[in-house]
Structures are given as C-alpha cells and as structure tokens.
Amino acid sequence: MQPTDDQLLAVIGSWLPSRRWFGGKGHEITGLRMVARHEIPGSPGAAHLVIAVQIDGRRWQIYQVPVAIGSAADPATLVGRIGDVCVHDGTAYEGPVNGLLSRDTERAQLVPTEMEPLTHWLHKPESLAGYRLLNVEQSNSSAVVGDSMVKMFRMLTPGVNPDIEVHEGLARAGCHDVGQLRGWISGGWVDPDSDLEVHGHLAMVQEYFANSVDGWDLARQRVADSEDFTIESQALGQATARVHRALAEAFPTAELVDDQIVLMAQRLHRRLTSAAQIVPELADIQDSLHEHVDGLLQLGRIAVQRVHGDYHLGQTLRTAHGWRVLDFEGEPGGDFENRRVLDHPLRDVAGMLRSFAYAAWQGGGNSAAARKWQQECERAFIAGYAHDGVDPLAHQTLLQAYLVDKAAYEAIYEKRNRPEWIGIPLAALTAIAET
C-alpha cells in the first residue's frame, strides 16, 4: 500500500517540529501541502517529497523530506505509522539517497530547471558504495557516500543555492582551502502562493575528508586540556584570507561610499536597537555601542565582496592537508538574495574572533587561563590573516562595528534559546562599550 498525500502529510506534520533543521520552532503550523512527489528509482517504497508548511497562517516554508516506506519499525528513523505501514526518514538509508544520485546527467547546469530530481556532476566519483549518515547538529542532513559527502538541503528556496554557487566559483578560482565540489541535485516543486512551478537545488555533493576533526570540537578540547592552539589559529587565519582572495577573484566586488556607508551603519544600528529591546542587560551600554557603529561614518569607502557570512569554528575542518572551510550558505534564516549581499571580509574575521570566545567559555569555563587562551588565539588568527590578506588591526573601526553586530546577534539568540550562555556575548559587548 502506498500512503496517500494526506496520510503522509499528517505523520510528517507531527514529526517536523522535533527536527533540528525545522525553521518554524516556536510558531504554529497552520497548513500543510504536498508540492512535489516523485518515486525514487531503484529504491522500492521510497519517495522524494517536498512539503509546504504554513507558519502562523501567514507564510510558507518549503521542506525536502525523502521517505522510505515499509513494514519494519526503526525508532531512530521513524517518522510515523499509517496503519501497518511505517514511514521512515529516507536520508537515513542508502537506497533512497543513492537512488536520487543515480538519475543523473553528465552535463552540469548550475541554474536548476527540472521538476524531477536530477544529479549534475562536475567530477563524478568512481564509486558511491557504502553509506553513513553523519550525526551532527546542522540545518541540513549530511551523509558519507563512498568518498563523498552528500548534503541534503532541508529548507528549500527557489533558485541557485549560495553554497553550491560559491563552491563552483571557488573551484574555478583554483581555491584548495575548501572541499572539492563534485556535483549537485536539482529539482522543482509547486509554489504554494502562486501555484506555479519553481526550481531549486536539493543537495550538494562534495569531497569528504576522512579522519578530519571539526574546528569547534578541536578548539574546545584544546582549551579544556590547557593546550596551545595558536599554531592552528594562525594557519586558519591564513586559510581564511586565501578563501577571501579567491572569492574576490571569482565573484564581483564593489566599494561602498557616502550614502551607501550611511545605509550600512543604519542597518547595524537597527540590529543593535532590536537586541537592546530583547536583551534588557544591554540598556546601560547600548549608547556606547551605537557610537562604535557610528565610527563607520568616518570611513571614506569600504571595499565589499562575497564573504562566508556565518563564519565560526564549526564551519571549519582540520584535515591531514590543513584547514578546510565549509558551508557558504550565509547567515541562517536569510533568503538567498540577502545571503548574496556583498560585505567586507572583516565580517568573517569578526565571526571567527567571537567563535574563539565561545570555545574558551565552553571548554575552559571562563577561567583566567581560558581568557588568556582566547586572546592568544585571536592574536594568532589575526597575524595569520594579515600574512595573506589585509591587516585587521589596520581597520579597527570596521572590525569593532562588526564585533558589536555579531555579539548583538548572539545576545538575541542566547536570550531566546540558551539563556545560560547570555554571559558570553554580554562580556564582549561590555568590553567594547568600555573602550
């Protein structure tokens, strides 16, 4: 028995809110629609579903939910039961994912145009044997297939996915500080607002680094063990600068002047004001923080380009061949066009400096030794970045404004999600306000 659309929507609608990648937490699901459904070749009982989820009766979010349908129940992957039929998360199994990869074309086209899932290869792997779902906290679902990693995008947006677009551009620029892009899966669905067919990217296939370690895990362990991390920090700074240089080569650049700088400052002021409204602890220091943002108005011009946009230790891997930078999707929650807005590379530098602070707090409990570890890592990262790029210390006004903006963003997030962590961004903002 193949479940009907309505039956699948019922079990998936109950399952979605518990998913790490579901973007509607804290809101009411007021509608569900099946906007695409295709059988997966070579995988009996598997189906590729695209679900439209109405949030608070006002807006739609689009989710990719491959499913495997059978009689056996595995609690670890079970989505729900429909009578005697069990519906499982298809990304947990080799059959559905390899089935999606098997329908392919060797003529890769970046702009998606098809409705049925289709894989485009830049460098087709020799083998896709073996499958292992990665147990990591992400906004997507990733698995190792052979010597490649398949990242299934969960929340979908029409158009070219920035992560694929940036990796394709960096490949053209000859950048070796990211994983090699091997291909992608594109497909389509019916837009729930217009009822028109739209197309987007469903998944990305790239080089997998076996025996690598996540930068966040490595840094936390080093500070917890009171071990030096400056050599790695300096190397990461150099790799970051090389990636920025390649981004400037692969994509358009520009300069902000006059009114454009004013608009940039106003955007940062609005974000800071919102943070102060949500986080009362900022009330006494927000005026001083706004002064740091106003420093942007004294700059004659600001060079901007494509940047990472959500850069932190968790977006890096320490491999046998050095650091590799991951996940160029930009700040979570933003639409694709906003994620393509050009910015100064110091936006990413500020993000990594803030990540060292988080690692020090989480691994070292905000001890004096942990704070010293953080400062040493920051200095090493800046020195490494300056070796292969601009010197961040020569652009203190811009760097401080970005640090204020990043920490204010963190303060909002922690207040809403992890109030026990609010001291991390508050400490940074207080220190900046006192300078």
Side-chain angles (χ1 to χ4, degrees):
M1 180 196 94
Q2 282 296 314
T4 66
D5 286 359
D6 287 342
Q7 289 173 324
L8 288 168
L9 288 173
V11 296
I12 291 171
S14 299
W15 173 76
L16 275 176
S18 65
R19 300 302 93 193
R20 164 68 175 81
W21 40 262
F22 180 60
K25 288 184 173 61
H27 299 270
E28 182 183 3
I29 295 177
T30 51
L32 293 165
R33 286 179 60 180
M34 185 78 70
V35 291
R37 178 174 178 174
H38 296 98
E39 300 307 309
I40 297 178
S43 185
H48 181 266
L49 311 180
V50 182
I51 311 295
V53 182
Q54 190 180 50
I55 303 296
D56 296 334
R58 297 193 303 269
R59 57 192 173 91
W60 293 91
Q61 294 177 345
I62 309 299
Y63 290 94
Q64 175 178 206
V65 186
V67 295
I69 299 169
S71 57
D74 182 348
T77 64
L78 185 67
V79 174
R81 298 175 184 268
I82 302 172
D84 295 330
V85 172
C86 294
V87 180
H88 292 276
D89 180 5
T91 65
Y93 298 96
E94 181 175 5
V97 176
N98 273 353
L100 288 172
L101 293 172
S102 70
R103 186 174 181 272
D104 61 10
T105 173
E106 294 184 358
R107 185 179 179 183
Q109 176 179 302
L110 185 61
V111 178
T113 58
E114 51 272 332
M115 286 295 290
E116 191 170 348
L118 182 67
T119 301
H120 298 253
W121 294 112
L122 284 181
H123 307 282
K124 188 172 183 178
E126 292 184 6
S127 172
L128 294 172
Y131 185 84
R132 176 167 57 90
L133 187 67
L134 295 176
N135 184 25
V136 291
E137 289 288 311
Q138 292 182 338
S139 56
N140 304 295
S141 295
S142 297
V144 178
V145 182
D147 65 350
S148 300
M149 184 180 75
V150 181
K151 179 162 67 172
M152 303 291 293
F153 303 127
R154 286 300 196 164
M155 188 185 295
L156 303 180
T157 301
V160 176
N161 185 283
D163 204 9
I164 295 174
E165 179 185 31
V166 167
H167 274 90
E168 193 272 342
L170 290 175
R172 285 188 281 105
C175 180
H176 300 291
D177 296 290
V178 297
Q180 180 192 60
L181 177 65
R182 292 181 170 165
W184 54 86
I185 304 176
S186 58
W189 58 92
V190 175
D191 176 70
D193 288 317
S194 67
D195 287 328
L196 298 175
E197 292 184 354
V198 296
H199 312 92
H201 284 126
L202 307 176
M204 171 178 166
V205 186
Q206 66 181 130
E207 178 181 11
Y208 175 68
F209 297 100
N211 302 316
S212 61
V213 59
D214 177 90
W216 169 249
D217 292 336
L218 179 62
R220 281 191 307 161
Q221 189 60 52
R222 288 291 183 84
V223 67
D225 294 341
S226 301
E227 293 183 356
D228 181 75
F229 196 63
T230 57
I231 294 175
E232 289 87 350
S233 298
Q234 182 168 345
L236 181 56
Q238 291 178 274
T240 303
R242 290 194 297 266
V243 169
H244 282 153
R245 195 164 61 241
L247 285 169
E249 179 183 335
F251 298 99
T253 61
E255 281 193 339
L256 303 183
V257 297
D258 303 329
D259 289 348
Q260 295 168 313
I261 296 178
V262 172
L263 291 174
M264 176 183 176
Q266 289 175 344
R267 184 171 68 251
L268 268 60
H269 278 305
R270 287 195 298 270
R271 287 161 63 110
L272 178 56
T273 298
S274 295
Q277 292 170 345
I278 296 168
V279 185
E281 294 92 331
L282 297 178
D284 293 338
I285 61 173
Q286 67 168 315
D287 288 346
S288 178
L289 296 174
H290 280 292
E291 290 178 7
H292 281 281
V293 174
D294 277 334
L296 296 176
L297 303 177
Q298 307 305 314
L299 302 178
R301 56 188 65 246
I302 300 174
V304 292
Q305 62 168 79
R306 288 292 287 269
V307 298
H308 188 285
D310 184 34
Y311 199 44
H312 53 80
L313 286 162
Q315 306 284 36
T316 66
L317 281 180
R318 183 63 171 173
T319 76
H321 304 288
W323 287 103
R324 295 294 184 267
V325 178
L326 313 174
D327 298 333
F328 288 83
E329 291 183 83
E331 193 172 282
D335 61 47
F336 280 0
E337 289 313 307
N338 283 337
R339 297 183 195 187
R340 289 189 174 89
V341 171
L342 304 186
D343 214 330
H344 194 280
L346 289 187
R347 162 75 70 184
D348 290 342
V349 171
M352 187 55 68
L353 296 182
R354 293 296 310 131
S355 194
F356 286 128
Y358 268 75
W361 277 64
Q362 291 304 302
N366 194 33
S367 64
R371 291 193 295 273
K372 182 174 182 289
W373 180 94
Q374 172 193 338
Q375 293 164 1
E376 291 173 346
C377 289
E378 290 174 345
R379 285 194 292 267
F381 179 84
I382 288 172
Y385 190 91
H387 183 272
D388 281 78
V390 302
D391 184 358
L393 298 182
H395 301 272
Q396 280 280 18
T397 298
L398 190 56
L399 180 59
Q400 289 284 29
Y402 281 132
L403 286 169
V404 168
D405 188 57
K406 181 64 175 179
Y409 171 87
E410 295 166 357
I412 294 174
Y413 183 87
E414 306 304 0
K415 191 72 173 181
R416 288 174 168 169
N417 298 281
R418 300 179 297 201
E420 68 276 12
W421 289 23
I422 191 69
I424 304 176
L426 286 181
L429 291 168
T430 300
I432 293 173
E434 292 174 350
T435 59

